[in-house]
């Protein structure tokens, strides 16, 4: 029984290495060459004890890299994707006809995460999840898998649920009450370790490194040996996670957001490039009620009644060329420089990318849109000659938050306040902002998300 449970656990963890939607493989496909820890540049400087663990997991096929030479120690996946992988791997009964969930935030009309509804229900039916909140009313499909959730899943997967129920709960304010028994047992079994100041950091997102070390420890338990004490690096508090507006400012909670996305004929590309889904999920986490519209179906009147407009990088810029946004007096965030260009708020339309860089330089660290960051900040986990970071060339009335390193005129984050003007004279009707589209959002750092959160919330204030 133990061998069977660990086989399922190992396959689950291996599945966490694939990209979203890549959940099935052709059994006739030739197996890839077996790699070792030395094939991944971000594993080479780990302590030797950890390198040995990673090498064992990689050579046993439990983990692959995110790319040919990058393991992706800090990468995460959201709870919707996690649910689908877990349901498939554990061979749970999935009712594909379900359109109503027992969780209030899992809906069949959710453009980002509706696909996961039957899988989330299958996990709940099997007792592998109790939801996100203490009452079990929500699942938070767009959210990351937290460390306390990982602890609970590992303990349940190992068949130790009863032991967790009788364990002495941890006295730790970073862990929710429902998880304290699971965390207590996970610590006792050395599946996971405390972080700084003896705290578990239960609500912090779990990383692939944590998953790998925990899976190795689970293997030791199932073989009848005692796992070694796991040494985990301190995890910085995720101050950019679910931020609230400062006192006296407008909160995103319940505000209506219109998300302008790719044209109708390109919707099938979501499987290959799901960045729109990730951003929509993030916006919902901030509290927004999101409605999306294809750029070829968008007209100015469709923005009426919304508190914020969000223009995706995936749209076809030709649909903005007519200046359709000029008379919309609603705060707007652009992920595409073309939108600012057509309003005269950036002086260059094309060739506004820098390649093979992964950081930005904060120009105004005291501005609220800078999210408390300063100096040079990584927006990407990895980069290569094909990875582009976009920028704009704003006018004199713009507030520039961040720039391409060494190129202060190339702004990666900037905004115009209501009542300011483009250099050509256009008067801004409501705060308009630009955020550099930093490539694949699986490759985005937490600081990148933190800056996007801060800019979105600041734009909402309509100053």
């Amino acid at each position: 029984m133990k061998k069977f449970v660990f086989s399922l656990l190992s396959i689950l963890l291996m599945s966490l290495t694939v990209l979203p939607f890549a959940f099935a493989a052709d059994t006739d496909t030739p197996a890839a060459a077996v790699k070792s820890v030395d094939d991944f540049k971000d594993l080479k400087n780990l302590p030797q004890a950890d390198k040995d663990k990673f090498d064992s997991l990689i050579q046993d096929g439990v983990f692959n890299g995110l790319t040919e030479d990058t393991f992706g120690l800090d990468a995460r996946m959201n709870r919707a994707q996690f649910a689908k992988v877990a349901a498939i791997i554990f061979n749970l009964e999935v009712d594909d006809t379900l359109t109503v969930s027992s969780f209030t935030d899992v809906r069949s009309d959710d453009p980002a995460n509706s696909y996961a509804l039957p899988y989330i229900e299958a996990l709940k039916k099997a007792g592998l999840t109790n939801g996100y909140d203490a009452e079990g009313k929500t699942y938070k499909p767009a959210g990351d898998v937290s460390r306390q959730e990982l602890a609970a899943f590992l303990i349940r997967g190992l068949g130790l649920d009863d032991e967790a129920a009788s364990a002495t709960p941890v006295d730790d304010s970073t862990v929710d009450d429902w998880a304290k028994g699971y965390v207590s047992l996970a610590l006792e079994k050395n599946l996971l370790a405390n972080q700084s100041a003896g705290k578990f950091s239960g609500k912090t997102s779990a990383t692939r490194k944590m998953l790998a070390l925990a899976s190795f420890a689970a293997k030791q338990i199932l073989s009848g040996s005692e796992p070694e004490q796991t040494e985990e690096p301190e995890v910085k508090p995720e101050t950019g996670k679910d931020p609230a507006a400062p006192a006296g400012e407008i909160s995103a909670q319940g505000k209506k957001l219109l998300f302008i996305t790719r044209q109708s004929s390109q919707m099938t590309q979501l499987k290959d490039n799901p960045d729109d889904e990730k951003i929509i999920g993030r916006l919902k986490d901030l509290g927004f009620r999101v409605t999306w519209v294809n750029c070829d179906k968008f007209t100015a009147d469709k923005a009426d009644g919304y508190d914020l407009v969000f223009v995706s990088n995936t749209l076809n810029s030709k649909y903005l060329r007519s200046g359709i946004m000029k008379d919309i007096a609603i705060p707007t965030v652009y992920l595409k420089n073309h939108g600012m260009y057509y309003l005269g708020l950036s002086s260059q339309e094309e060739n506004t990318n820098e390649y093979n860089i992964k950081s930005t330089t904060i120009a105004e660290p005291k501005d609220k849109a800078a999210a408390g960051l300063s100096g040079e900040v990584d927006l990407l986990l990895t980069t290569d000659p094909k990875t582009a970071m976009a920028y704009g060339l704003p006018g004199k009335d713009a507030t520039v938050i961040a720039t391409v390193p060494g190129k202060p005129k190339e702004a990666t984050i900037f905004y115009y306040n209501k009542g300011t003007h483009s250099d050509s004279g256009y008067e801004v009707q409501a705060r308009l902002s630009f955020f550099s589209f930093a490539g694949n959002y699986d490759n985005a750092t937490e600081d990148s998300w933190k800056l996007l959160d801060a800019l979105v919330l600041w734009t909402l204030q309509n100053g």
Side-chain angles (χ1 to χ4, degrees):
M1 177 61 183
K2 285 186 176 181
K3 181 182 289 185
F4 175 70
V5 173
F6 180 68
S7 296
L8 292 176
L9 179 61
S10 298
I11 297 171
L12 169 67
L13 292 166
M14 178 172 65
S15 299
L16 294 178
T17 67
V18 300
L19 294 177
F21 301 101
F23 296 107
D26 188 339
T27 54
D28 295 328
T29 302
V34 177
K35 287 182 174 289
S36 74
V37 70
D38 294 325
D39 291 311
F40 300 103
K41 58 188 180 184
D42 53 343
L43 300 182
K44 292 182 179 180
N45 294 324
L46 291 176
Q48 188 59 49
D50 283 353
K51 288 181 69 173
D52 291 343
K53 295 174 185 178
F54 276 88
D55 201 47
S56 173
L57 293 166
I58 291 167
Q59 295 201 38
D60 286 348
V62 178
F63 277 89
N64 297 313
L66 290 182
T67 68
E68 284 298 309
D69 64 352
T70 302
F71 182 84
L73 291 173
D74 298 323
R76 308 181 307 274
M77 69 186 306
N78 73 30
R79 291 166 52 82
Q81 297 159 10
F82 184 83
K84 184 169 184 178
V85 171
I88 292 173
I89 296 306
F90 282 90
N91 198 28
L92 302 180
E93 183 179 348
V94 178
D95 184 355
D96 292 324
T97 66
L98 286 176
T99 58
V100 178
S101 172
S102 54
F103 296 114
T104 59
D105 59 346
V106 178
R107 303 187 310 277
S108 60
D109 62 349
D110 181 348
N113 299 302
S114 59
Y115 74 92
L117 188 155
Y119 300 101
I120 293 169
E121 289 303 301
L123 258 65
K124 181 176 181 181
K125 184 177 179 181
L128 295 181
T129 182
N130 295 320
Y132 180 77
D133 62 326
E135 293 78 23
K137 294 181 179 179
T138 62
Y139 181 79
K140 201 177 183 182
D144 298 333
V145 179
S146 69
R147 282 171 50 81
Q148 64 188 16
E149 291 166 336
L150 174 59
F153 192 85
L154 288 172
I155 293 300
R156 290 168 182 164
L158 290 170
L160 301 176
D161 202 68
D162 289 342
E163 288 188 41
S166 60
T168 301
V170 292
D171 183 12
D172 190 333
S173 61
T174 71
V175 179
D176 287 332
D177 289 343
W178 70 265
K180 288 184 175 180
Y182 293 109
V183 170
S184 177
L185 194 57
L187 291 171
E188 178 186 328
K189 299 291 185 182
N190 287 330
L191 290 168
L192 293 161
N194 279 324
Q195 301 287 299
S196 62
K199 298 295 185 181
F200 186 74
S201 301
K203 299 173 188 178
T204 299
S205 299
T207 66
R208 281 165 52 88
K209 181 176 183 180
M210 294 171 192
L211 288 167
L213 294 175
S215 68
F216 189 88
K219 182 177 180 180
Q220 290 181 299
I221 290 174
L222 293 167
S223 67
S225 60
E226 289 293 324
E228 302 171 9
Q229 179 66 46
T230 299
E231 295 293 336
E232 295 180 19
E234 178 180 348
V235 177
K236 295 180 180 179
E238 295 187 64
T239 54
K241 192 76 172 175
D242 297 335
E249 294 186 0
I250 301 171
S251 167
Q253 196 62 45
K255 292 294 184 291
K256 295 175 64 178
L257 182 148
L258 184 66
F259 189 96
I260 308 176
T261 183
R262 64 192 76 210
Q263 61 196 62
S264 306
S265 61
Q266 296 177 333
M267 290 304 287
T268 56
Q269 295 178 10
L270 276 174
K271 279 194 173 184
D272 299 320
N273 185 15
D275 286 332
D276 279 348
E277 294 185 331
K278 295 179 187 301
I279 296 171
I280 287 173
R282 189 76 178 193
L283 294 168
K284 287 183 176 181
D285 284 347
L286 291 175
F288 287 104
R289 296 162 54 197
V290 181
T291 301
W292 58 273
V293 61
N294 299 111
C295 55
D296 53 317
K297 304 294 185 183
F298 175 72
T299 55
D301 62 293
K302 289 189 177 180
D304 291 347
Y306 285 92
D307 301 292
L308 187 74
V309 176
F310 194 101
V311 181
S312 169
N313 182 71
T314 61
L315 62 70
N316 189 326
S317 60
K318 71 180 182 180
Y319 293 109
L320 302 181
R321 201 167 287 159
S322 65
I324 192 173
M325 304 296 289
K326 283 187 175 180
D327 296 323
I328 296 178
I330 299 171
T332 302
V333 176
Y334 290 90
L335 290 195
K336 197 156 190 170
N337 175 58
H338 297 74
M340 300 296 268
Y341 171 79
Y342 294 136
L343 297 177
L345 303 176
S346 179
S347 61
Q348 187 169 323
E349 177 182 8
E350 302 291 347
N351 301 316
T352 53
N353 289 322
E354 290 285 354
Y355 292 88
N356 206 21
I357 62 172
K358 65 177 185 177
S359 63
T360 190
T361 300
I362 303 297
E364 290 290 340
K366 295 182 179 180
D367 195 286
K368 291 181 180 179
L373 301 174
S374 61
E376 193 161 313
V377 175
D378 282 349
L379 298 184
L380 304 176
L381 297 169
T382 62
T383 190
D384 57 49
K386 294 183 179 180
T387 301
M389 192 173 293
Y391 63 85
L393 298 176
K396 58 181 175 59
D397 277 4
T399 299
V400 177
I401 301 301
T403 66
V404 172
K407 298 184 177 181
K409 293 184 179 180
E410 297 181 359
T412 54
I413 304 173
F414 63 95
Y415 65 82
Y416 285 81
N417 283 326
K418 178 180 179 180
T420 59
H421 295 81
S422 69
D423 286 355
S424 60
Y426 167 70
E427 183 172 335
V428 176
Q429 305 297 303
R431 183 172 286 152
L432 304 179
S433 304
F434 170 78
F435 182 86
S436 173
F437 176 71
N440 185 335
Y441 275 93
D442 276 335
N443 191 30
T445 65
E446 183 56 35
D447 281 342
S448 182
W449 287 114
K450 184 177 180 180
L451 284 164
L452 180 59
D453 289 347
L455 186 67
V456 168
L457 291 174
W458 178 234
T459 306
L460 179 65
Q461 308 310 310
N462 193 25

